[in-house]
Amino acid sequence: MNELHGTLGLGDNSLCIEWRLYDLFESPKGELESLIFDVNKLVSANFRKGLFGGTLRLVFTSSSVISRIPLPTGQLNEMRCIIRRKHRREAELWTAELNLRIAENL
């Protein structure tokens, strides 16, 4: 039972994902890793509010873009991020900005 905690950052025309794996007792299980890629490798970004937080769903052009990230099984080209309640407003604004950049690259 592992959990993946991380951050998402938006650059000029790039997206940076940083993460670290934690075990059941919330002790770090590995080094801090990062992945930087162009925004044009994204198909869509959706944020959905929930009662206690929200879910950010990123869909990529191919699964090789995020193959280094240890995600659970399921969709190969999709990443779901759980956003805490205190960060919901920021996540909505961030998703809107990301969608504008995706639209500019079409």
Side-chain angles (χ1 to χ4, degrees):
M1 299 293 277
N2 297 319
E3 284 189 1
L4 194 68
H5 295 250
T7 61
L8 296 168
L10 195 55
D12 290 335
N13 198 28
S14 63
L15 181 66
C16 177
I17 302 173
E18 295 181 321
W19 73 92
R20 179 176 278 167
L21 202 58
Y22 289 85
D23 65 10
L24 185 61
F25 303 106
E26 295 193 18
S27 298
K29 197 173 173 184
E31 295 294 318
L32 182 66
E33 297 186 48
S34 65
L35 179 64
I36 299 172
F37 54 88
D38 291 333
V39 174
N40 61 4
K41 302 229 176 172
L42 276 167
V43 174
S44 68
N46 299 315
F47 180 74
R48 178 174 270 182
K49 282 186 185 180
L51 185 60
F52 297 109
T55 303
L56 175 65
R57 182 175 162 253
L58 302 173
V59 179
F60 298 89
T61 55
S62 70
S63 59
S64 64
V65 176
I66 55 172
S67 63
R68 286 186 36 217
I69 303 173
L71 297 172
T73 57
Q75 295 289 331
L76 294 176
N77 64 337
E78 181 180 306
M79 185 171 83
R80 292 177 189 241
C81 308
I82 297 171
I83 307 295
R84 293 184 179 160
R85 185 181 188 126
K86 65 181 179 180
H87 299 295
R88 269 197 318 203
R89 182 68 182 142
E90 296 166 6
E92 288 174 330
L93 296 172
W94 190 86
T95 305
E97 176 67 25
L98 186 57
N99 278 319
L100 284 174
R101 294 188 188 186
I102 291 170
E104 287 176 356
N105 288 325
L106 289 179

